[in-house]
Structures are given as C-alpha cells and as structure tokens.
Amino acid sequence: MGRWICCLCSRAADPLMLLLVLALGCNPSTAATASPSVPHIKPSYSFGRTFLGLDKCNACIGTSICKKFFKEEIRFDTWLSSHLKLPPSSLLSYSGNYTDDAKSWRLVDITRLTSKYQHDRADKRICTSLLKTRTCSLERALRRTQRFQKWLRAKRLTPDLVQGLSSPLLRCPSQRLLDRIVRRYAEVPDAGSIYMDHLTDRDKLRLLYTLAVNSHPILLQIFPDVEGWPFPRYLGSCGRLVVSASTRPLRDFFGAAPEVAADLALQLLAVLRSMATNDLNYFFYFTHVDAGTFGVFSNGHLFIRDASTLGIIDKEEGSQLIDGHQEYKDIFSCLTVGCQSALVSCDSIREKHSLVMVCQDLLPKLLAGKFLPPVQERIDAFLQRCAQGLGAMAELEEILKPLRSCDSRFAYRYPDCRYSDKY
C-alpha cells in the first residue's frame, strides 16, 4: 500500500525522476543516496590585490594581463604543487607558466620593477613629501604634482615632460624616441599616433609612473623581439608585475662547455654591435652590466634580459635637452634612487662605452680557462685590449668563430649552420 501511495505522489514529478523512484522501490532514503553527486570544486587561487600591486593602481604599470592571472592561465611554479601557495611577495622575480589554450604551457618570467621593499619606501616617500601623511591615496597625491598636471594638458610627449627622471632611457631624449614610446605603448589600445589623445588620465599616470620607476617594460614594448631587437617578448603587466618570455641569466653559463661559451661570447659581441649600429640610427649604451643583464632562451639564443640600465642616444636627431635642464628634480625623480644621484652627461658617452664594461665584467667569466693554451692565451690577450674599440672586437670574433660547434644544442641556428659558411 505504501508503494502505491508513493508512486501516486510521484505522478507530478519529472518522468525521469519517476522512473528512478520506481526502480528504487519508492524508498525516499534510497532515492536521495542515488542522486548525482555534487561535482568536485577546483580550489581557487587567491592573490589578493596587494601581491599583484593592484591596490596601488593607478600608480602601477598596467592591467593588460590581469585576466590571465585570474583565469589561472598564468601560474607561478609553486602553484604546480598540491599546496597552491603564492610565492613570497619579497622576491624580485618569479618563474611562471603561461598558456593560451590551457593545453600547452610555456615558461615566462614574472618580475617587479623594483623590490617590494623599495616600492614600499617610495610609496611612503610620496605620502610624506606630498601630503605630509604616512599613508595616502598614491594616485591622488601624484595627480596633484606639477609634472603630472603638465602631462594632463599635453597633446604630445615632449622632452620637458620627462626631464629629471632617473631612467637612463630618458637622460638624452629626442622627440623621435618619445613619439615612439607613445605610439607603441602596449598598455592601451593601439592608436598608431604620436599624440596622446588616446591616453586617458589613468593611462598617462601609469606611463609616467613606469618611466619614473624602471623603463625596462617600455623598452620591450617599443623595440619588440618580432622586429629583431634583442629583448624578450613583452606579454603584459598586472599591477606592479611584468610578464615576459623566460630566459636563463648568463651567470648560469659561466661554467658551460667551451663551444657553448664561445657561441654565447660571439652572440654577446653581436648584440653590442647591433646596439651601436642599427637601421633606426639609435645608439644603445649600458650604464651598468652584471651577470643578470643578459639571458639565454631555451634554443640557445642570447638576449638582453634586463633593460633597466639601457640608455639611448638618437644619432639622427640628437638629444633635445641640454645637460643643465636634466638637473630638474621632483618626486618622480626619486621613486627608486636618491634625489642626489648624478646624471651621466650625454656628451660623455662613447661608442665603446658598453664594450668596456662587458670586456671587464662578463667575457673573462665566460671565457676564462675554457680552451687549450695557445687559443686561451690569444683570447686572454685580446680581452685585455678589446675595450679599445670595434677593431679589437672583430679580432676576438675571428678567434672565437672556429670554436663553435653546429649541433641541436644551438637550436636558434641549427640546422642552418650546416649549410652556411657564416657559422
């Protein structure tokens, strides 16, 4: 009788559920047990706006790649573990993984423009110097500055708007270079214009902040790798984090096999040559180099890994600031360095400027003690005088070329090297 009552009560139910109830003998407890289980919910990664630096926008780099983070299409290496913990926020750079289809992943570098400690100090300096408080709205404080008010009124980025900024990129600015920055600024929709009409107030503050803190991401944007420039690909920014293609620092190769060391040294010299002579008539120079300035892709190709110490002199137009005007200082001049730091005179930069530093600081570590005595002695002798100019550099290249090998370890030039006299 109970079964008939149960089944009569089920007449209004969905036909599929009725069949299920009949099959289970109209036992309510049994029917509940057999209902489809709730799907397993994937753990959610929690960033917090502070880790990314989004809590400081619009005093940040940009937001073009934030969706990738929140959709878990960019993952830190530590996320591949079962704990799903974010790495320490105190680190300057992180190794990550990037995908466009959730199937294939590639390595990327996730970096801060400065350490979090330096960022925090700069933030406090903004509040205490501009608003006389320990904490404040960074955007509101920076918007009140005379420099940014000039940016708001400007139709075009001109040398007077960047004078006094600490970035080497802007120490000897030309109008042609500044137009290139505006035209290729990747954190906004591409307008292809030298005028700043397509930049909102927010965009202008982000561009100014990035140029004031560290011009590395700007250089990656305006001289992209797809055009043959020796920089890793810029993938985007989120808050105060920059994402770019992954490279291993040159320091990892100081103990490499002789043929690898010879290949990297030749690439290093080729990069220096292209920086001095290129189709756009820009002269690139370093203000500092170390073992992390250059990096190597997985295919063996060497690139400039850290462009923060790169300056540019326009050989076509020349600098449009006289050195005296570079002494202008404001809060944007002091975000990462002391306001008393000396600026290099544009007239003091020579063609061999970068070569001297590379010969002193990098090539000896890469080539020392790698080869048999007759060859090693010749290399050591030329290293002593390669800083004399491009002539000595050409002699060193002639010594190193026969020491390279042609095999799959050098994927960037293999198998082309089998069929070319160039290698």
Side-chain angles (χ1 to χ4, degrees):
M1 185 65 178
R3 178 171 297 187
W4 281 106
I5 294 173
C6 177
C7 291
L8 287 171
C9 293
S10 302
R11 285 182 179 178
D14 183 85
L16 291 176
M17 181 59 72
L18 181 58
L19 289 175
L20 178 61
V21 172
L22 289 173
L24 296 171
C26 288
N27 187 329
S29 63
T30 308
T33 305
S35 63
S37 60
V38 177
H40 176 69
I41 299 177
K42 187 177 180 180
S44 176
Y45 301 112
S46 176
F47 298 93
R49 293 166 59 82
T50 302
F51 183 86
L52 293 171
L54 282 172
D55 59 325
K56 304 299 177 63
C57 281
N58 291 305
C60 64
I61 313 167
T63 56
S64 61
I65 209 166
C66 287
K67 287 184 179 179
K68 285 280 187 182
F69 278 103
F70 290 113
K71 290 168 65 177
E72 300 172 25
E73 293 175 347
I74 295 177
R75 299 183 177 184
F76 295 88
D77 275 354
T78 52
W79 288 5
L80 302 181
S81 68
S82 59
H83 301 294
L84 305 177
K85 291 182 178 179
L86 286 171
S89 61
S90 58
L91 299 180
L92 190 60
S93 63
Y94 311 88
S95 179
N97 300 272
Y98 176 102
T99 185
D100 287 317
D101 55 15
K103 295 178 182 178
S104 58
W105 294 80
R106 51 193 168 119
L107 291 175
V108 293
D109 290 332
I110 305 169
T111 56
R112 301 183 187 277
L113 296 191
T114 67
S115 69
K116 190 173 184 302
Y117 171 74
Q118 289 175 303
H119 268 311
D120 291 343
R121 284 189 62 191
D123 294 344
K124 290 180 181 178
R125 189 182 299 123
I126 292 171
C127 293
T128 55
S129 64
L130 297 180
L131 297 182
K132 310 304 179 184
T133 60
R134 297 188 64 180
T135 59
C136 69
S137 166
L138 298 177
E139 179 175 0
R140 187 171 71 250
L142 293 176
R143 284 177 67 91
R144 293 182 179 181
T145 61
Q146 181 180 3
R147 186 191 293 267
F148 186 66
Q149 288 301 312
K150 289 179 65 177
W151 273 63
L152 289 179
R153 295 189 297 269
K155 294 293 185 182
R156 192 175 183 182
L157 185 59
T158 51
D160 63 295
L161 296 177
V162 299
Q163 65 176 342
L165 298 184
S166 62
S167 168
L169 172 65
L170 303 171
R171 290 183 182 175
C172 311
S174 69
Q175 188 59 59
R176 185 169 71 116
L177 177 62
L178 296 179
D179 288 343
R180 189 177 183 86
I181 291 174
V182 173
R183 194 171 62 248
R184 295 189 168 214
Y185 182 43
E187 287 298 311
V188 298
D190 182 16
S193 173
I194 62 175
Y195 297 102
M196 296 197 290
D197 296 336
H198 63 293
L199 299 185
T200 64
D201 293 357
R202 176 201 64 193
D203 298 329
K204 289 182 178 180
L205 180 56
R206 291 178 180 178
L207 176 58
L208 173 56
Y209 179 85
T210 306
L211 290 172
V213 175
N214 187 326
S215 59
H216 170 78
I218 302 299
L219 275 158
L220 270 55
Q221 294 169 43
I222 65 177
F223 297 108
D225 67 308
V226 293
E227 295 180 2
W229 298 98
F231 302 106
R233 180 165 301 179
Y234 177 81
L235 299 173
S237 300
C238 184
R240 290 179 169 179
L241 292 180
V242 179
V243 183
S244 59
S246 176
T247 59
R248 291 177 58 192
L250 186 62
R251 68 171 65 90
D252 291 356
F253 296 87
F254 286 163
E259 60 273 19
V260 174
D263 183 83
L264 292 175
L266 282 166
Q267 288 192 72
L268 191 53
L269 295 176
V271 166
L272 294 181
R273 191 182 297 278
S274 69
M275 289 168 57
T277 307
N278 52 73
D279 293 340
L280 292 185
N281 231 6
Y282 287 118
F283 173 70
F284 296 77
Y285 67 93
F286 285 104
T287 58
H288 170 78
V289 297
D290 58 37
T293 301
F294 296 89
V296 182
F297 282 126
S298 58
N299 65 357
H301 206 171
L302 181 138
F303 278 68
I304 297 173
R305 188 171 190 258
D306 179 4
S308 64
T309 63
L310 266 181
I312 298 179
I313 294 176
D314 191 336
K315 294 194 291 186
E316 190 170 300
E317 288 189 1
S319 172
Q320 295 183 15
L321 275 184
I322 61 174
D323 289 339
H325 287 174
Q326 291 183 335
E327 298 304 317
Y328 173 83
K329 302 287 186 181
D330 67 354
I331 189 64
F332 288 100
S333 309
C334 314
L335 292 184
T336 56
V337 297
C339 287
Q340 304 304 316
S341 60
L343 298 177
V344 177
S345 169
C346 301
D347 296 332
S348 67
I349 307 299
R350 299 290 179 264
E351 189 177 49
K352 63 181 182 179
H353 186 88
S354 298
L355 182 61
V356 171
M357 289 186 283
V358 169
C359 282
Q360 291 176 346
D361 300 327
L362 297 182
L363 287 179
K365 297 175 183 176
L366 191 61
L367 299 174
K370 291 288 176 66
F371 308 97
L372 295 176
V375 174
Q376 187 68 56
E377 290 170 2
R378 292 183 63 198
I379 291 175
D380 293 343
F382 278 112
L383 283 179
Q384 294 296 322
R385 57 189 182 91
C386 77
Q388 295 177 2
L390 298 179
M393 186 169 73
E395 294 182 68
L396 180 58
E397 288 173 326
E398 290 304 312
I399 298 175
L400 294 173
K401 283 178 182 178
L403 303 177
R404 292 186 299 180
S405 64
C406 180
D407 58 62
S408 58
R409 287 177 299 172
F410 310 100
Y412 79 95
R413 58 179 174 86
Y414 181 86
D416 295 351
C417 55
R418 288 184 174 273
Y419 312 104
S420 173
D421 295 334
K422 180 180 177 182
Y423 299 104

